[in-house]
Amino acid sequence: MNAITKLFSSSSDRKLLSLYFCAGAPTLDSTANVILTMQRRGIDMIEVGIPFSDPMADGPVIQDAATKSLKNGMTLQTLFDQLGSIKQQVNIPLVLMGYLNPIMQYGIEHFCQSCVEAGVSGMIIPDLPFKDYLEDIKPVADRYDLRVIMLITPETSEERIRFIDEHTEGFIYMVSSAATTGAQQSFDEQKQDYFRRINAMNLRNPRMIGFGISNRQTLESAQANAAGAIIGSKFVTLFDQEKDADRALDRLFEALAN
């Protein structure tokens, strides 16, 4: 069974926490250690960022991490090599998050094959048009039992959300706002209305809420309205400051408790 599917089917009685980091930042060789440390500290799922020179959906924190990663020499092949070296030690889902251009240059068939060989269970491609997903990506990903995770925002129509729900597996990435990534102090009433609206749709797929989660208020709000929460910018900031995954997680957990 795909590890993402297995995670959600076996954790209906608790709320999940997924973390994002950019592979190759702050150092080229930090990827394996970050993943193993997150797993040891109880993180349920990890989004591994593929650096790209024009990350349009990302705020300045993740853009800066991507720039550092590229300067450090990170490539898709290097990333797959790093992930493959720890495949036997990783028992939580790994999801690659990256933009379409580097993946298409690598080759979608080659990409999916490399994902399986490296222990990756799915991918998030923020700039992937849904039509291209259905026609070009999904058939290949399905052959390799990989989950392609789609994003929805407050501006996504109900018709499109239901279409996404019908044609995807794994989970739906519920973006808390239409803005770029970045930590927020609270989710206002408008976002709460959005959460309630999606809850009322009774979708088939579980949902994870991301973008802006950085403290107890935003974490609890996300967890109350979905299967769990995804944290990116807050951890990336702390990891860049500490240069040590354990210390960064200590500070993250402290922030999430306050």
Side-chain angles (χ1 to χ4, degrees):
M1 180 187 292
N2 178 279
I4 298 171
T5 303
K6 184 178 180 180
L7 172 66
F8 284 96
S9 64
S10 64
S11 60
S12 57
D13 59 339
R14 64 185 181 89
K15 296 300 183 178
L16 303 176
L17 180 60
S18 176
L19 296 188
Y20 165 96
F21 76 100
C22 182
T27 64
L28 179 63
D29 297 325
S30 58
T31 303
N33 178 260
V34 176
I35 291 171
L36 295 176
T37 301
M38 286 183 176
Q39 176 176 266
R40 175 170 52 80
R41 299 292 299 271
I43 301 305
D44 297 295
M45 181 167 58
I46 301 173
E47 291 179 18
V48 183
I50 302 168
F52 183 51
S53 56
D54 186 25
M56 65 184 78
D58 295 311
V61 169
I62 293 178
Q63 286 186 23
D64 180 64
T67 298
K68 289 177 180 176
S69 174
L70 291 171
K71 287 181 178 178
N72 288 339
M74 177 56 74
T75 66
L76 255 179
Q77 187 58 61
T78 299
L79 174 56
F80 282 127
D81 290 343
Q82 291 177 346
L83 295 177
S85 72
I86 57 169
K87 178 181 178 180
Q88 300 305 318
Q89 301 174 65
V90 178
N91 52 38
I92 61 175
L94 300 181
V95 180
L96 291 187
M97 186 166 188
Y99 291 85
L100 187 59
N101 184 279
I103 294 172
M104 295 307 291
Q105 287 188 9
Y106 191 84
I108 186 60
E109 182 90 28
H110 188 201
F111 180 81
C112 289
Q113 182 179 0
S114 296
C115 282
V116 172
E117 291 172 351
V120 172
S121 300
M123 64 198 82
I124 301 170
I125 310 173
D127 60 340
L128 173 63
F130 202 76
K131 181 174 182 292
D132 293 350
Y133 157 70
L134 287 176
E135 294 177 358
D136 303 324
I137 309 295
K138 186 178 188 299
V140 183
D142 285 350
R143 284 205 309 273
Y144 288 91
D145 194 30
L146 294 167
R147 303 291 179 258
V148 182
I149 309 304
M150 304 301 289
L151 287 76
I152 64 172
T153 76
E155 280 68 43
T156 308
S157 69
E158 179 174 339
E159 180 183 17
R160 183 172 179 81
I161 292 170
R162 293 200 181 280
F163 194 66
I164 289 172
D165 189 44
E166 179 182 354
H167 293 282
T168 61
E169 302 290 338
F171 69 95
I172 291 175
Y173 193 132
M174 191 170 163
V175 177
S176 67
S177 72
T180 57
T181 57
Q184 300 175 35
Q185 291 304 306
S186 64
F187 289 144
D188 59 24
E189 187 59 29
Q190 185 177 16
K191 291 185 178 65
Q192 299 290 342
D193 285 342
Y194 160 55
F195 297 160
R196 288 190 287 267
R197 175 169 61 87
I198 304 303
N199 278 334
M201 292 178 66
N202 294 313
L203 299 176
R204 180 176 61 90
N205 279 298
R207 304 176 314 283
M208 295 285 285
I209 295 178
F211 283 46
I213 297 168
S214 64
N215 57 20
R216 181 176 178 178
Q217 196 277 346
T218 48
L219 175 67
E220 290 182 347
S221 179
Q223 291 181 330
N225 289 282
I230 299 168
I231 298 176
S233 295
K234 184 68 174 180
F235 175 77
V236 173
T237 296
L238 295 172
F239 187 39
D240 185 61
Q241 292 171 355
E242 295 291 342
K243 307 294 189 293
D244 179 90
D246 259 316
R247 290 199 299 270
L249 286 168
D250 285 342
R251 290 183 59 190
L252 176 66
F253 293 147
E254 181 181 356
L256 295 177
N258 297 316

